[in-house]
Amino acid sequence: MATVSEFVIERIREWGVRRVFGYPGDGIGEFDGALGKAERAGEGLEYIRPTHEEIAAFMATAHAKFTGEVGVCIATSSPGGFHLINGLYDAKMDNQPVVAIVGQQGLDSLGTFNQQESHLERTFSDVAAYVQTIVSPAQAQAVVDTAFRTAITRLQPCVIILPHDVQGQKMVEPGPEMWQSRSSAVAPSIRIAPPLEQLQAAADVINAGERVTFLVGAGANGATAEVLEAAELAGAGVITSLRGKQVVPSDVPFHTQQLGLLGSRASYQQMKDCDTLVLLGTNYPYGQFLPATGQARAVQIDLRPEQLGMRYPTEVSIWADVKATLDGLLPLLTRKEDRSWQEKVIADMAKWDDELTAQAEQTYDDGVNPRRVYQELNKRLPAGAIVTADAGTTADWYGHYIRLHDGMLGDLSGRLASMLAAMPYAEAAKFAFPDRAVVCTIGDGAFQMLGMNELITIKKYLSRWSDPTFIVLVLHNDDLTQVSWEMRTEDGNPVWSTSQDVESVDYAGWARLLGFNGITVTEDDDVAAAWDAAFAHRGVTLIDAHTSKNVPPLPPHITFEFAKNTAKALLSGDPEGFGAIKDSATSLVTEGVERVKGALRRDDRDHGDDGS
């Protein structure tokens, strides 16, 4: 007769799970033993053990994001479980189905202040949509099934707590007795479609619009063809959220990439001028970049009902799956013959691309231009590549320069915006797609958190990947750069070196110590060759790019408040004052020159000048 642990493992497999991310400990020891037994019998789960439980939780979240499957992470009682929490909040805030299995001390220890005994249900009650301790074999089936069902339908993390003594108890089949539940491991569909009257109401708003903009988020994953067909019919411009970047291919000319501080001016202009806004699977949080109140009629489609009408006053709010909704909406949309709005969007994006190119070509006294690093990476991304970014300036440059073509994937810690996530995201992507090239882009501060450790994990599992191409880009500037700029631009404070300085480390040397390819880049002219070498190498490469910390992550529209705070900070004893002022001025001048060039090109076209 199977034990509870053996039953749980088999039930997880019934839910379609084949890979889990965990870290062992005595509180989960009996369950780990059952995992080993199942593996030896050829009926187990692929068990990936990183260097830390937090990494395991981020890996589970990333697995859910990249595959659409439920991500599973496993940890021991108290300290192990606590380490999962940051990664689980990433799942919660980015709406991902994750199930955590956490060990606990024996039932008799609960409430007795025993070693590593804590109130885990209370601990996980905020992060998890469902958290439950299995206290008897007859209860195990219902708890496991409810955790998976809830994770899938509510797109949230759930936690199963498994006391050590229960793990080894003999499993019993629940019967029809009072208080016992006989549940099923059948995944429910979440392709919820709205009623016809709501579809017609949404179509009426979109058909009436003359300047329609689609704001597309990660909730539209899997609906690329439908989004593009709807945009073509509506003559719409398309903006994607940072996590929605992979939904719409970058070569769609009316796709103006992202919005906001790390977005494009073409997207900013769309929001300023549109008369109709359609939000598809996004809870975009930066309301200051959305249309003015009353400017646009709005439609929103989302599977999370509490987020409908949250960011902008919507005229039609549809609680449904984006793909299923667009399937019903497309026949109701009328094709707009006037393409002037879409043509303007395309022209604005072409001008923005010119600006980005010019800014990437600038040189700086204190290091390599990080913009150039990303621009050269983007030129070389192979088909099917997967790119991850971290919180901080890597997200800025990822948003500006990385263009994901059809079939490419990219992601990061979104609403939580946690540092260090880029590394476990990249690892999870590589496990899910071992035949694809994966590029992790991360800052030196985040890399020092836990990222450096994970090169050890990569060394351990490298042989499992059919294509071993795994590239880590470290932006090495000895500074927590994004926070340094936020201190200046948001609060008008000079940078406080005590909190911001990052100890310099030979990251390429660390990679070579582990047997990997390590490349140090200190000159702009060496960037292209470094990427060529990295993609030519069949294995792991770390590019240690010594970049300038004074290149400002400029928003597409400089507000008076932004400029005032920045000037105040730089003139108030900022340790990088002169360098930052000089480099900010360089970026702003470049931006201004490109705007003038664009205006001249438009004027030439208007007057029939062929440019010769």
Side-chain angles (χ1 to χ4, degrees), residues 272-422:
K272 184 178 178 183
D273 297 338
C274 71
D275 64 9
T276 306
L277 177 63
V278 182
L279 299 112
L280 300 173
T282 180
N283 182 34
Y284 182 80
Y286 303 104
Q288 70 269 36
F289 294 102
L290 296 177
T293 302
Q295 170 192 322
R297 301 177 73 185
V299 173
Q300 185 174 3
I301 305 167
D302 208 293
L303 268 175
R304 298 300 304 278
E306 68 273 19
Q307 295 176 1
L308 291 167
M310 172 67 72
R311 304 300 179 192
Y312 191 81
T314 51
E315 189 169 327
V316 182
S317 295
I318 297 177
W319 177 16
D321 170 66
V322 171
K323 181 178 174 67
T325 302
L326 291 179
D327 282 340
L329 183 63
L330 284 169
L332 305 177
L333 297 179
T334 56
R335 178 177 173 79
K336 289 186 173 63
E337 298 306 322
D338 182 357
R339 295 281 138 169
S340 57
W341 167 248
Q342 206 173 63
E343 289 166 0
K344 178 182 181 300
V345 167
I346 294 170
D348 286 347
M349 190 59 187
K351 287 182 287 184
W352 177 250
D353 280 338
D354 289 342
E355 287 190 25
L356 289 181
T357 298
Q359 290 198 28
E361 292 172 354
Q362 295 300 310
T363 58
Y364 298 92
D365 295 337
D366 68 325
V368 173
N369 185 345
R371 291 177 176 271
R372 184 173 301 189
V373 176
Y374 277 76
Q375 182 187 61
E376 295 297 335
L377 165 60
N378 186 64
K379 291 177 182 177
R380 292 162 173 79
L381 287 174
I386 304 173
V387 184
T388 67
D390 213 80
T393 54
T394 64
D396 293 286
W397 314 137
Y398 170 81
H400 283 165
Y401 288 94
I402 298 302
R403 304 296 169 82
L404 300 174
H405 300 288
D406 193 23
M408 293 182 182
L409 299 173
D411 221 322
L412 74 171
S413 173
R415 194 155 64 94
L416 182 64
S418 176
M419 289 177 68
L420 81 81

Side-chain angles (χ1 to χ4, degrees), residues 361-579:
E361 292 172 354
Q362 295 300 310
T363 58
Y364 298 92
D365 295 337
D366 68 325
V368 173
N369 185 345
R371 291 177 176 271
R372 184 173 301 189
V373 176
Y374 277 76
Q375 182 187 61
E376 295 297 335
L377 165 60
N378 186 64
K379 291 177 182 177
R380 292 162 173 79
L381 287 174
I386 304 173
V387 184
T388 67
D390 213 80
T393 54
T394 64
D396 293 286
W397 314 137
Y398 170 81
H400 283 165
Y401 288 94
I402 298 302
R403 304 296 169 82
L404 300 174
H405 300 288
D406 193 23
M408 293 182 182
L409 299 173
D411 221 322
L412 74 171
S413 173
R415 194 155 64 94
L416 182 64
S418 176
M419 289 177 68
L420 81 81
M423 196 65 169
Y425 270 45
E427 292 171 283
K430 193 66 174 177
F431 283 114
F433 303 100
D435 58 340
R436 298 197 193 187
V438 173
V439 182
C440 167
T441 69
I442 191 167
D444 49 3
F447 195 59
Q448 285 189 14
M449 281 183 163
L450 287 173
M452 294 179 70
N453 293 2
E454 283 309 292
L455 285 183
I456 301 171
T457 303
I458 291 168
K459 183 178 178 66
K460 178 180 179 181
Y461 292 105
L462 182 61
S463 63
R464 297 193 184 188
W465 301 333
S466 54
D467 179 353
T469 305
F470 189 101
I471 303 172
V472 181
L473 165 67
V474 180
L475 296 188
H476 182 169
N477 57 22
D478 305 330
D479 180 66
L480 299 176
T481 313
Q482 184 77 10
V483 180
S484 292
W485 280 102
E486 287 169 345
M487 291 177 75
R488 295 168 178 138
T489 62
E490 294 181 9
D491 304 311
N493 288 321
V495 168
W496 184 34
S497 298
T498 301
S499 71
Q500 298 305 108
D501 286 354
V502 175
E503 183 67 21
S504 188
V505 172
D506 181 3
Y507 302 109
W510 167 237
R512 288 192 291 270
L513 183 66
L514 291 169
F516 300 144
N517 188 27
I519 302 174
T520 301
V521 176
T522 58
E523 301 291 337
D524 290 276
D525 291 342
D526 296 334
V527 171
W531 283 119
D532 287 338
F535 281 111
H537 178 65
R538 281 190 60 81
V540 179
T541 300
L542 186 145
I543 297 178
D544 185 356
H546 290 245
T547 52
S548 170
K549 59 184 171 185
N550 290 325
V551 180
L554 293 171
H557 174 69
I558 307 299
T559 65
F560 173 74
E561 191 73 15
F562 182 100
K564 180 187 73 172
N565 286 340
T566 304
K568 176 184 173 184
L570 296 177
L571 296 172
S572 300
D574 190 287
E576 299 296 328
F578 178 75

